[in-house]
Amino acid sequence: MEGRRLVKQKLLRYGYTTGTCAAAASKAAATMLFEKELMTSVSITTPNGTDLVIDVLNPHFSEKTASCSIEKDSGDDPDITNGTIVSADVTLIPDSDEVHIEGGKGVGKVTKPGLDQNVGEYAINSVPRKMIRESLIGLAKENSYDGGFHVVISVPDGEKLAKKTFNPDLGIVGGISILGTTGIVEPMSSKALADSIKVEISVLSAEGNDSILIYLGNFGRKFATEELDLNPNPGIMCSNFVDVALDSSVEFGFKRILLIGHIGKLVKLGIGMFNTHSHNGDGRIETLLSCALEAGADLETLTEIQNCITTNAVLDILWDKDLLHETMKILKGRVEYNISKRIPSEIEIGFICFANTGEYSGVLFESENASNLKSFWKN
């Protein structure tokens, strides 16, 4: 794709996710079924509004079934799935109105709770599934087709690739996951991204801002705008580089800082880990385990938590045991303590930690000054 990001006089090229590949292949296959012509390219709009035209590989169709493939392009992001082939087989189901999506060869299956999909489901995440469904439903309407579809997504090299990912540790077996929240892969080389964050903060400072929102990823920004009704600016996305974002904000003279992050990332601040990338370590479950112990969890509960692989799975247990509130209160204190050791006392800094699934969805905990800080970004 043509999109690029300028970082220190270098143009870094954007790419697209495995989820976009799966949706594009599904759309191209379904189009062949309706138009009875081989497809050489397909257009698709990603969840963040980017319009793409992607080459179609290995197109084939019969009366009711069509298949094709898309080659994953990760741009300048160091991604092991770059160049991977993602295929879709689409079958028309005239006596149904459902879009049934499952995985084929090389797509992993979920074996442990707490992930985007339930245990036993294929690891095709919610956003890619939505992209596939919307593309096929749109085509059905255009072609006056009132039946359903059966879609099988496969990745020929997926099982081999999965061994180089964290999937086996997460309980995803048999292949890779089909992922993506925006549909686009942004170039994420560590140095380039850190430099980019510094530049963005320096620009905000030069514009006369003295308050800054720092989002720990796309979920943080979405939660701030949709759930907290905050104006996203002035703000930056720091990804895993909380350390760079905080230090740069101090260096460029910001007087107020508000961090907004999902529990999966923000929990690491509870052990003083300010670069939250998994390559630097984890500690999420251990941190929650320690907080739960302090909150009064019994041995059976602690053992259950010890066996979890995601923060959501831990939160489910804490919610069921009526320990969530007290555990989050303890975690809040630890986050507050570690931030206070890093940031000068004359700077007002606050934080909001949230979850976006489960009965406890919403704000899990926030600093005492969060309400006051939010007023600077209220729409």
Side-chain angles (χ1 to χ4, degrees):
M1 60 180 293
E2 296 300 320
R4 283 171 168 76
R5 183 182 201 174
L6 180 63
V7 179
K8 298 199 90 173
Q9 298 182 326
K10 292 182 180 179
L11 284 173
L12 301 181
R13 193 168 59 87
Y14 287 74
Y16 41 83
T17 63
T18 49
T20 293
C21 293
S26 300
K27 182 179 180 181
T31 301
M32 287 190 287
L33 289 173
F34 291 125
E35 298 186 359
K36 305 302 180 185
E37 291 183 3
L38 293 176
M39 296 280 288
T40 58
S41 65
V42 61
S43 61
I44 192 163
T45 301
T46 64
N48 75 346
T50 302
D51 294 321
L52 300 175
V53 178
I54 305 175
D55 290 338
V56 173
L57 307 177
N58 309 316
H60 175 78
F61 70 90
S62 59
E63 185 63 28
K64 289 188 176 181
T65 301
S67 63
C68 64
S69 303
I70 300 290
E71 182 178 353
K72 166 78 181 295
D73 181 357
S74 301
D76 287 328
D77 186 65
D79 185 345
I80 64 165
T81 62
N82 186 48
T84 299
I85 300 300
V86 179
S87 303
D89 290 83
V90 178
T91 303
L92 297 178
I93 311 295
D95 57 351
S96 169
D97 59 359
E98 299 288 326
V99 178
H100 180 69
I101 303 168
E102 63 177 292
K105 180 182 179 182
V107 174
K109 260 194 172 182
V110 177
T111 65
K112 294 183 179 180
L115 298 173
D116 181 89
Q117 295 296 302
N118 293 328
V119 171
E121 295 290 337
Y122 285 96
I124 304 172
N125 278 12
S126 302
V127 173
R129 286 177 183 270
K130 182 180 179 183
M131 291 174 69
I132 293 169
R133 286 195 177 93
E134 289 180 350
S135 293
L136 298 191
I137 290 171
L139 284 172
K141 289 180 179 178
E142 291 173 13
N143 292 275
S144 300
Y145 172 68
D146 58 4
F149 302 86
H150 182 250
V151 182
V152 179
I153 304 299
S154 57
V155 182
D157 293 330
E159 193 166 1
K160 181 172 67 176
L161 285 170
K163 296 175 182 178
K164 301 177 182 179
T165 72
F166 287 98
N167 273 14
D169 298 327
L170 293 173
I172 299 172
V173 301
I176 66 169
S177 305
I178 305 300
L179 303 170
T181 53
T182 65
I184 296 299
V185 177
E186 296 187 23
M188 295 282 283
S189 85
S190 295
K191 186 177 184 307
L193 185 53
D195 289 344
S196 176
I197 290 169
K198 290 179 182 178
V199 170
E200 288 182 49
I201 292 174
S202 71
V203 169
L204 291 177
S205 175
E207 291 174 346
N209 296 296
D210 61 3
S211 304
I212 186 169
L213 274 176
I214 299 177
Y215 314 106
L216 280 66
N218 288 311
F219 284 142
R221 182 183 174 94
K222 184 176 181 181
F223 188 82
T225 56
E226 296 183 7
E227 301 299 327
L228 301 178
D229 193 31
L230 301 184
N231 186 321
N233 299 307
I236 59 124
M237 193 101 66
C238 74
S239 184
N240 293 299
F241 294 89
V242 184
D243 51 356
V244 175
L246 288 177
D247 294 351
S248 298
S249 297
V250 173
E251 290 167 12
F252 285 104
F254 285 88
K255 297 178 181 178
R256 284 174 291 271
I257 303 170
L258 180 58
L259 284 171
I260 301 178
H262 184 272
I263 181 71
K265 285 186 183 290
L266 205 141
V267 65
K268 295 186 179 183
L269 274 59
I271 51 171
M273 184 181 290
F274 285 85
N275 185 317
T276 60
H277 198 289
S278 55
H279 289 166
N280 297 313
D282 197 344
R284 295 168 302 150
I285 306 305
E286 291 79 4
T287 304
L288 291 171
L289 183 73
S290 174
C291 293
L293 174 62
E294 191 174 338
D298 58 24
L299 182 59
E300 180 183 354
T301 301
L302 295 173
T303 302
E304 287 183 49
I305 293 172
Q306 178 73 43
N307 292 328
C308 290
I309 55 173
T310 68
T311 52
N312 283 341
V314 177
L315 296 182
D316 286 342
I317 293 170
L318 295 173
W319 175 263
D320 290 340
K321 304 285 187 178
D322 199 25
L323 287 166
L324 184 60
H325 175 74
E326 188 62 26
T327 303
M328 292 299 101
K329 180 181 176 182
I330 293 165
L331 178 57
K332 168 192 164 184
R334 296 187 182 190
V335 171
E336 205 156 41
Y337 174 74
N338 288 320
I339 287 177
S340 70
K341 289 197 301 181
R342 189 177 195 106
I343 303 299
S345 58
E346 64 268 21
I347 295 173
E348 186 177 10
I349 181 166
F351 52 85
I352 298 172
C353 179
F354 68 90
N356 52 9
T357 58
E359 295 180 71
Y360 44 79
S361 179
V363 175
L364 292 173
F365 61 87
E366 62 182 24
S367 58
E368 299 299 328
N369 61 353
S371 294
N372 179 59
L373 284 170
K374 282 187 289 186
S375 65
F376 289 93
W377 288 273
K378 268 295 181 183
N379 284 320

Short mmCIF file of all heavy atoms in Angstrom, two decimals, residues 38-80:
data_model
loop_
_atom_site.label_atom_id
_atom_site.label_comp_id
_atom_site.label_asym_id
_atom_site.label_seq_id
_atom_site.Cartn_x
_atom_site.Cartn_y
_atom_site.Cartn_z
N LEU A 38 -13.10 -14.27 -12.99
CA LEU A 38 -11.94 -14.34 -12.11
C LEU A 38 -11.56 -12.93 -11.66
O LEU A 38 -11.60 -11.99 -12.44
CB LEU A 38 -10.76 -15.00 -12.82
CG LEU A 38 -10.92 -16.48 -13.14
CD1 LEU A 38 -9.71 -16.97 -13.93
CD2 LEU A 38 -11.08 -17.32 -11.87
N MET A 39 -11.17 -12.81 -10.40
CA MET A 39 -10.76 -11.53 -9.84
C MET A 39 -9.23 -11.44 -9.82
O MET A 39 -8.56 -12.38 -9.43
CB MET A 39 -11.27 -11.38 -8.41
CG MET A 39 -12.79 -11.36 -8.28
SD MET A 39 -13.46 -9.74 -8.69
CE MET A 39 -12.93 -8.79 -7.25
N THR A 40 -8.70 -10.31 -10.25
CA THR A 40 -7.25 -10.09 -10.17
C THR A 40 -6.90 -9.09 -9.07
O THR A 40 -5.75 -9.01 -8.64
CB THR A 40 -6.70 -9.59 -11.50
OG1 THR A 40 -7.37 -8.38 -11.87
CG2 THR A 40 -6.90 -10.64 -12.59
N SER A 41 -7.88 -8.33 -8.63
CA SER A 41 -7.68 -7.39 -7.51
C SER A 41 -9.03 -7.16 -6.84
O SER A 41 -10.09 -7.42 -7.41
CB SER A 41 -7.10 -6.06 -8.01
OG SER A 41 -8.02 -5.39 -8.85
N VAL A 42 -8.96 -6.66 -5.60
CA VAL A 42 -10.18 -6.41 -4.84
C VAL A 42 -9.99 -5.13 -4.03
O VAL A 42 -8.90 -4.86 -3.53
CB VAL A 42 -10.50 -7.61 -3.91
CG1 VAL A 42 -9.39 -7.85 -2.90
CG2 VAL A 42 -11.84 -7.43 -3.22
N SER A 43 -11.06 -4.36 -3.92
CA SER A 43 -11.02 -3.14 -3.11
C SER A 43 -11.71 -3.40 -1.79
O SER A 43 -12.71 -4.11 -1.72
CB SER A 43 -11.70 -1.98 -3.84
OG SER A 43 -13.06 -2.28 -4.08
N ILE A 44 -11.16 -2.82 -0.72
CA ILE A 44 -11.75 -3.01 0.60
C ILE A 44 -11.42 -1.79 1.45
O ILE A 44 -10.36 -1.17 1.29
CB ILE A 44 -11.23 -4.30 1.26
CG1 ILE A 44 -12.07 -4.63 2.51
CG2 ILE A 44 -9.75 -4.22 1.60
CD1 ILE A 44 -11.90 -6.07 2.97
N THR A 45 -12.34 -1.44 2.34
CA THR A 45 -12.13 -0.33 3.27
C THR A 45 -11.89 -0.90 4.66
O THR A 45 -12.69 -1.69 5.16
CB THR A 45 -13.34 0.61 3.29
OG1 THR A 45 -13.56 1.13 1.97
CG2 THR A 45 -13.09 1.78 4.24
N THR A 46 -10.79 -0.50 5.28
CA THR A 46 -10.45 -1.01 6.62
C THR A 46 -11.26 -0.29 7.70
O THR A 46 -11.85 0.77 7.43
CB THR A 46 -8.95 -0.81 6.90
OG1 THR A 46 -8.67 0.60 6.94
CG2 THR A 46 -8.10 -1.46 5.81
N PRO A 47 -11.29 -0.82 8.90
CA PRO A 47 -12.05 -0.18 9.98
C PRO A 47 -11.64 1.26 10.29
O PRO A 47 -12.45 2.03 10.79
CB PRO A 47 -11.79 -1.09 11.19
CG PRO A 47 -11.55 -2.43 10.59
CD PRO A 47 -10.80 -2.15 9.32
N ASN A 48 -10.39 1.63 9.98
CA ASN A 48 -9.98 3.02 10.23
C ASN A 48 -10.23 3.92 9.02
O ASN A 48 -9.78 5.06 9.00
CB ASN A 48 -8.52 3.08 10.67
CG ASN A 48 -7.54 2.85 9.52
OD1 ASN A 48 -7.92 2.41 8.44
ND2 ASN A 48 -6.27 3.13 9.75
N GLY A 49 -10.95 3.39 8.01
CA GLY A 49 -11.35 4.20 6.87
C GLY A 49 -10.36 4.24 5.72
O GLY A 49 -10.56 5.01 4.78
N THR A 50 -9.34 3.41 5.74
CA THR A 50 -8.37 3.38 4.65
C THR A 50 -8.91 2.53 3.50
O THR A 50 -9.32 1.39 3.70
CB THR A 50 -7.03 2.79 5.13
OG1 THR A 50 -6.54 3.58 6.21
CG2 THR A 50 -6.01 2.79 4.00
N ASP A 51 -8.91 3.09 2.30
CA ASP A 51 -9.34 2.35 1.11
C ASP A 51 -8.13 1.66 0.48
O ASP A 51 -7.12 2.31 0.18
CB ASP A 51 -9.98 3.29 0.09
CG ASP A 51 -11.29 3.88 0.60
OD1 ASP A 51 -12.05 3.14 1.26
OD2 ASP A 51 -11.54 5.07 0.36
N LEU A 52 -8.25 0.36 0.27
CA LEU A 52 -7.16 -0.42 -0.30
C LEU A 52 -7.61 -1.13 -1.57
O LEU A 52 -8.76 -1.51 -1.70
CB LEU A 52 -6.67 -1.48 0.69
CG LEU A 52 -6.13 -1.01 2.04
CD1 LEU A 52 -5.82 -2.23 2.92
CD2 LEU A 52 -4.88 -0.18 1.85
N VAL A 53 -6.68 -1.29 -2.50
CA VAL A 53 -6.87 -2.18 -3.64
C VAL A 53 -5.74 -3.20 -3.58
O VAL A 53 -4.55 -2.85 -3.65
CB VAL A 53 -6.82 -1.42 -4.98
CG1 VAL A 53 -6.97 -2.41 -6.14
CG2 VAL A 53 -7.93 -0.36 -5.04
N ILE A 54 -6.10 -4.48 -3.42
CA ILE A 54 -5.12 -5.53 -3.15
C ILE A 54 -5.16 -6.58 -4.25
O ILE A 54 -6.24 -6.98 -4.70
CB ILE A 54 -5.40 -6.18 -1.78
CG1 ILE A 54 -5.44 -5.11 -0.68
CG2 ILE A 54 -4.34 -7.23 -1.45
CD1 ILE A 54 -5.83 -5.67 0.69
N ASP A 55 -3.99 -7.04 -4.66
CA ASP A 55 -3.91 -8.09 -5.69
C ASP A 55 -4.49 -9.40 -5.16
O ASP A 55 -4.28 -9.77 -4.00
CB ASP A 55 -2.45 -8.33 -6.10
CG ASP A 55 -1.87 -7.16 -6.89
OD1 ASP A 55 -2.66 -6.39 -7.46
OD2 ASP A 55 -0.64 -7.03 -6.93
N VAL A 56 -5.19 -10.11 -6.03
CA VAL A 56 -5.79 -11.40 -5.69
C VAL A 56 -4.95 -12.51 -6.32
O VAL A 56 -4.62 -12.44 -7.51
CB VAL A 56 -7.24 -11.48 -6.19
CG1 VAL A 56 -7.82 -12.87 -6.00
CG2 VAL A 56 -8.11 -10.45 -5.46
N LEU A 57 -4.63 -13.53 -5.53
CA LEU A 57 -3.83 -14.65 -6.00
C LEU A 57 -4.67 -15.92 -6.07
O LEU A 57 -5.61 -16.09 -5.28
CB LEU A 57 -2.64 -14.88 -5.07
CG LEU A 57 -1.73 -13.69 -4.75
CD1 LEU A 57 -0.66 -14.10 -3.74
CD2 LEU A 57 -1.10 -13.15 -6.02
N ASN A 58 -4.33 -16.78 -7.00
CA ASN A 58 -4.94 -18.12 -7.11
C ASN A 58 -6.47 -18.10 -7.15
O ASN A 58 -7.12 -18.87 -6.42
CB ASN A 58 -4.48 -19.01 -5.95
CG ASN A 58 -2.98 -19.01 -5.78
OD1 ASN A 58 -2.24 -19.10 -6.75
ND2 ASN A 58 -2.52 -18.91 -4.55
N PRO A 59 -7.09 -17.25 -7.96
CA PRO A 59 -8.56 -17.21 -7.99
C PRO A 59 -9.15 -18.45 -8.67
O PRO A 59 -8.62 -18.95 -9.66
CB PRO A 59 -8.85 -15.94 -8.80
CG PRO A 59 -7.66 -15.81 -9.71
CD PRO A 59 -6.48 -16.31 -8.93
N HIS A 60 -10.23 -18.93 -8.11
CA HIS A 60 -10.94 -20.08 -8.69
C HIS A 60 -12.39 -20.04 -8.25
O HIS A 60 -12.69 -19.67 -7.11
CB HIS A 60 -10.30 -21.39 -8.22
CG HIS A 60 -11.05 -22.61 -8.69
ND1 HIS A 60 -10.95 -23.10 -9.98
CD2 HIS A 60 -11.92 -23.42 -8.03
CE1 HIS A 60 -11.72 -24.17 -10.09
NE2 HIS A 60 -12.32 -24.38 -8.93
N PHE A 61 -13.31 -20.41 -9.15
CA PHE A 61 -14.72 -20.48 -8.75
C PHE A 61 -15.46 -21.55 -9.52
O PHE A 61 -15.07 -21.95 -10.63
CB PHE A 61 -15.41 -19.12 -8.94
CG PHE A 61 -15.63 -18.70 -10.37
CD1 PHE A 61 -16.80 -19.05 -11.04
CD2 PHE A 61 -14.67 -17.96 -11.04
CE1 PHE A 61 -17.01 -18.67 -12.36
CE2 PHE A 61 -14.86 -17.57 -12.35
CZ PHE A 61 -16.04 -17.92 -13.02
N SER A 62 -16.52 -22.05 -8.89
CA SER A 62 -17.45 -22.96 -9.54
C SER A 62 -18.84 -22.39 -9.34
O SER A 62 -18.98 -21.19 -9.11
CB SER A 62 -17.33 -24.37 -8.93
OG SER A 62 -17.60 -24.33 -7.56
N GLU A 63 -19.87 -23.20 -9.39
CA GLU A 63 -21.22 -22.68 -9.30
C GLU A 63 -21.53 -22.08 -7.93
O GLU A 63 -22.09 -21.00 -7.83
CB GLU A 63 -22.23 -23.79 -9.59
CG GLU A 63 -23.69 -23.33 -9.65
CD GLU A 63 -23.95 -22.33 -10.77
OE1 GLU A 63 -23.23 -22.37 -11.80
OE2 GLU A 63 -24.86 -21.50 -10.61
N LYS A 64 -21.11 -22.78 -6.86
CA LYS A 64 -21.47 -22.32 -5.52
C LYS A 64 -20.27 -22.07 -4.61
O LYS A 64 -20.44 -21.60 -3.48
CB LYS A 64 -22.40 -23.33 -4.84
CG LYS A 64 -23.81 -23.36 -5.43
CD LYS A 64 -24.71 -24.23 -4.59
CE LYS A 64 -26.14 -24.20 -5.12
NZ LYS A 64 -27.06 -25.02 -4.30
N THR A 65 -19.08 -22.36 -5.08
CA THR A 65 -17.89 -22.22 -4.24
C THR A 65 -16.79 -21.48 -4.98
O THR A 65 -16.58 -21.70 -6.18
CB THR A 65 -17.36 -23.59 -3.78
OG1 THR A 65 -18.39 -24.27 -3.05
CG2 THR A 65 -16.15 -23.45 -2.89
N ALA A 66 -16.10 -20.59 -4.28
CA ALA A 66 -14.98 -19.86 -4.87
C ALA A 66 -13.87 -19.74 -3.83
O ALA A 66 -14.12 -19.77 -2.62
CB ALA A 66 -15.41 -18.47 -5.33
N SER A 67 -12.65 -19.60 -4.32
CA SER A 67 -11.52 -19.46 -3.41
C SER A 67 -10.46 -18.56 -4.03
O SER A 67 -10.37 -18.42 -5.25
CB SER A 67 -10.90 -20.82 -3.09
OG SER A 67 -10.38 -21.42 -4.26
N CYS A 68 -9.67 -17.92 -3.18
CA CYS A 68 -8.55 -17.10 -3.63
C CYS A 68 -7.68 -16.78 -2.43
O CYS A 68 -8.00 -17.14 -1.29
CB CYS A 68 -9.03 -15.82 -4.31
SG CYS A 68 -9.92 -14.70 -3.21
N SER A 69 -6.56 -16.11 -2.69
CA SER A 69 -5.61 -15.81 -1.62
C SER A 69 -5.15 -14.37 -1.71
O SER A 69 -5.21 -13.74 -2.77
CB SER A 69 -4.39 -16.74 -1.71
OG SER A 69 -4.77 -18.09 -1.66
N ILE A 70 -4.68 -13.87 -0.57
CA ILE A 70 -4.08 -12.53 -0.47
C ILE A 70 -2.73 -12.68 0.21
O ILE A 70 -2.60 -13.42 1.20
CB ILE A 70 -4.96 -11.57 0.36
CG1 ILE A 70 -6.35 -11.42 -0.26
CG2 ILE A 70 -4.27 -10.22 0.52
CD1 ILE A 70 -6.40 -10.66 -1.57
N GLU A 71 -1.72 -11.97 -0.28
CA GLU A 71 -0.41 -11.99 0.36
C GLU A 71 -0.32 -10.87 1.38
O GLU A 71 -0.57 -9.71 1.06
CB GLU A 71 0.70 -11.85 -0.67
CG GLU A 71 2.09 -11.91 -0.07
CD GLU A 71 3.21 -11.80 -1.09
OE1 GLU A 71 2.89 -11.81 -2.31
OE2 GLU A 71 4.38 -11.69 -0.70
N LYS A 72 0.01 -11.22 2.62
CA LYS A 72 0.13 -10.23 3.70
C LYS A 72 1.31 -9.30 3.41
O LYS A 72 2.42 -9.72 3.14
CB LYS A 72 0.35 -10.96 5.02
CG LYS A 72 0.83 -10.09 6.19
CD LYS A 72 -0.30 -9.28 6.80
CE LYS A 72 0.23 -8.41 7.93
NZ LYS A 72 0.75 -9.15 9.07
N ASP A 73 1.04 -8.00 3.51
CA ASP A 73 2.08 -6.98 3.34
C ASP A 73 2.15 -6.18 4.63
O ASP A 73 1.24 -5.43 4.95
CB ASP A 73 1.74 -6.07 2.15
CG ASP A 73 2.79 -4.99 1.91
OD1 ASP A 73 3.76 -4.91 2.70
OD2 ASP A 73 2.64 -4.23 0.94
N SER A 74 3.23 -6.34 5.39
CA SER A 74 3.38 -5.67 6.67
C SER A 74 4.06 -4.32 6.56
O SER A 74 4.37 -3.70 7.58
CB SER A 74 4.17 -6.55 7.64
OG SER A 74 3.53 -7.78 7.84
N GLY A 75 4.31 -3.85 5.33
CA GLY A 75 5.00 -2.59 5.16
C GLY A 75 6.41 -2.67 5.74
O GLY A 75 7.09 -3.68 5.58
N ASP A 76 6.83 -1.63 6.44
CA ASP A 76 8.16 -1.61 7.06
C ASP A 76 8.14 -2.07 8.51
O ASP A 76 9.08 -1.81 9.27
CB ASP A 76 8.76 -0.21 6.96
CG ASP A 76 9.21 0.13 5.54
OD1 ASP A 76 9.62 -0.81 4.84
OD2 ASP A 76 9.13 1.30 5.15
N ASP A 77 7.05 -2.73 8.90
CA ASP A 77 6.98 -3.26 10.25
C ASP A 77 7.70 -4.61 10.30
O ASP A 77 7.52 -5.44 9.40
CB ASP A 77 5.52 -3.47 10.65
CG ASP A 77 5.38 -3.88 12.10
OD1 ASP A 77 5.73 -3.08 12.97
OD2 ASP A 77 4.93 -5.01 12.35
N PRO A 78 8.55 -4.84 11.32
CA PRO A 78 9.25 -6.13 11.43
C PRO A 78 8.31 -7.22 11.91
O PRO A 78 8.26 -7.57 13.09
CB PRO A 78 10.35 -5.84 12.46
CG PRO A 78 9.80 -4.74 13.30
CD PRO A 78 8.95 -3.90 12.39
N ASP A 79 7.53 -7.79 11.01
CA ASP A 79 6.46 -8.72 11.33
C ASP A 79 6.76 -10.06 10.68
O ASP A 79 6.98 -10.14 9.47
CB ASP A 79 5.14 -8.14 10.80
CG ASP A 79 3.94 -8.97 11.18
OD1 ASP A 79 4.11 -10.13 11.59
OD2 ASP A 79 2.82 -8.46 11.05
N ILE A 80 6.74 -11.14 11.46
CA ILE A 80 7.08 -12.45 10.91
C ILE A 80 6.02 -12.96 9.93
O ILE A 80 6.28 -13.89 9.17
CB ILE A 80 7.28 -13.50 12.01
CG1 ILE A 80 5.98 -13.74 12.79
CG2 ILE A 80 8.40 -13.12 12.94
CD1 ILE A 80 6.02 -14.99 13.62
#
